[in-house]
Amino acid sequence: MKDKILVIGSMNYDIITKVPHMPERGETLPADSVSVRSGGKGANQAVQAAKLGKKVVMYGKVGTDAQGKYLLETISSYKVNVDNVEKAQEITGLGLVNALPDGSVFATIAHGANYEITPEDISRHEELFYDAEYLILQMEIPQKAIEKSIELAAKNGVKVVFNTAPSEKIEESYLEKCSLLIMNEVEAQAFCGFEIKNVQDAESAALSLNRKYETGIIITLGEKGSVICEEEKLTCLTPERVEAVETTGAGDSYVGAVTSELMDGKSLIEACEFANRCSALTVMKVGAQDSMPTKEEVDKFFIKK
Ligand code: RIB
């Protein structure tokens, strides 16, 4: 029975510093506070889907260091199955996040072990595709591994939700094999070839990508909301208004939640509305995985509101 979500992607050890402003060139800027968290787009999306009650299996690589051990412990505490995650020679991937007082973040990642995932590793784990209904992918692992994952998903009848973040080059034939592409406006620009300055530009981009790849398209626009295009029909959703504390993982919460809702048989628009609520709650606390809500937390907060 196809009853689980497979996530193939990155696992990072996030170091989040709260800073009053971004440092100038040559400046040593003391942070107001620091915290370390389990992160990485792949792991974050896996945790959000698991928190929403889905059976989630993760494949990725961490180093043999203490950070890798910490990530495996944390992610499995959220009931994501990490039995297939492997150890690599490289150090565990890192996320270095500067969070500004308004909650916005400037992040750098070091791929580390995430970039040791090979197409052969993916083929060796083909059995993970057999009982998966959805595969979630992002672009923090090597392109060849992503391509092999999409090939095996197509071969095994698994629907692919591809979060094209951070934006990297990929052959267009692979995008056509996905059922849903989720990207922000910066990533969308790389695919559609024109600048996205407002919602109208995002609509044009979503429509052209939907026609080109014949897959559902979601372009997220931060506080301007999101544009969804399915079978050439455009919908714009406004975001939930909440007080942002720190936005790391908001996009990942959205991806995990959309997939989870689609698995429950919801329409794409219903799934996006629910995902908006999940990412709104995620930005109200520091860190990615810890701040992601359960279904009960979403209902409680938004019914109360
Ligand atoms: O999307 C947020 C994530 O991006 C962080 O957890 C960081 O590790 C980077 O992968």
Side-chain angles (χ1 to χ4, degrees), residues 8-296:
I8 298 181
S10 57
M11 304 167 77
N12 290 340
Y13 185 79
D14 285 352
I15 301 173
I16 304 173
T17 48
K18 282 219 151 223
V19 288
H21 56 83
M22 288 304 288
E24 304 289 330
R25 187 189 299 268
E27 179 186 7
T28 300
L29 176 68
D32 295 332
S33 67
V34 62
S35 59
V36 294
R37 306 284 165 138
S38 177
K41 295 189 193 305
N44 294 344
Q45 294 170 14
V47 166
Q48 178 62 86
K51 281 192 168 185
L52 295 172
K54 295 296 166 297
K55 263 194 216 171
V56 184
V57 174
M58 169 106 207
Y59 176 74
K61 287 192 178 181
V62 293
T64 53
D65 41 33
Q67 288 77 8
K69 187 167 176 274
Y70 171 79
L71 295 191
L72 292 179
E73 283 169 6
T74 323
I75 298 163
S76 57
S77 75
Y78 290 119
K79 301 204 166 46
V80 173
N81 179 327
V82 292
D83 293 352
N84 294 282
V85 172
E86 294 178 309
K87 297 273 167 62
Q89 292 298 313
E90 268 287 344
I91 64 161
T92 295
L94 291 174
L96 306 168
V97 183
N98 283 309
L100 297 182
D102 67 357
S104 59
V105 295
F106 291 78
T108 312
I109 54 166
H111 289 306
N114 296 307
Y115 252 50
E116 287 199 17
I117 302 176
T118 64
E120 292 71 32
D121 291 325
I122 306 297
S123 295
R124 218 167 8 88
H125 287 87
E126 185 171 349
E127 80 284 353
L128 296 178
F129 292 76
Y130 298 164
D131 55 357
E133 181 174 348
Y134 278 94
L135 166 67
I136 306 184
L137 289 170
Q138 325 72 32
M139 299 188 107
E140 290 184 334
I141 63 171
Q143 189 190 327
K144 293 284 169 214
I146 295 171
E147 293 173 355
K148 179 55 76 181
S149 303
I150 295 175
E151 275 170 30
L152 290 186
K155 180 179 163 200
N156 290 286
V158 183
K159 290 170 263 189
V160 180
V161 173
F162 189 7
N163 174 215
T164 59
S167 163
E168 299 276 349
K169 278 210 157 36
I170 183 150
E171 237 188 72
E172 297 198 330
S173 61
Y174 289 96
L175 300 178
E176 289 161 8
K177 292 193 176 76
C178 298
S179 38
L180 182 61
L181 303 178
I182 306 179
M183 57 193 82
N184 66 20
E185 69 267 51
V186 178
E187 291 140 11
Q189 279 173 193
F191 289 112
C192 69
F194 55 84
E195 209 185 331
I196 298 178
K197 296 183 295 300
N198 50 42
V199 175
Q200 286 71 34
D201 295 339
E203 286 180 333
S204 307
L207 188 57
S208 95
L209 296 176
N210 174 244
R211 284 181 177 148
K212 192 166 172 192
Y213 302 126
E214 295 184 357
T215 92
I217 303 288
I218 300 175
I219 302 180
T220 57
L221 303 163
E223 57 191 24
K224 291 197 209 92
S226 55
V227 171
I228 299 133
C229 191
E230 196 181 24
E231 292 171 0
E232 303 197 14
K233 185 174 177 291
L234 283 165
T235 307
C236 295
L237 293 180
T238 49
E240 299 290 346
R241 298 274 167 222
V242 292
E243 188 104 350
V245 173
E246 193 266 314
T247 59
T248 309
D252 300 328
S253 166
Y254 189 93
V255 174
V258 165
T259 313
S260 168
E261 290 290 286
L262 290 175
M263 205 159 159
D264 283 343
K266 299 284 168 54
S267 71
L268 183 58
I269 303 303
E270 285 169 334
C272 292
E273 282 166 346
F274 183 78
N276 267 345
R277 295 180 159 197
C278 289
S279 51
L281 290 186
T282 300
V283 305
M284 292 175 70
K285 296 185 199 151
V286 175
Q289 297 166 19
D290 301 332
S291 10
M292 291 174 178
T294 61
K295 218 163 201 139
E296 294 67 38

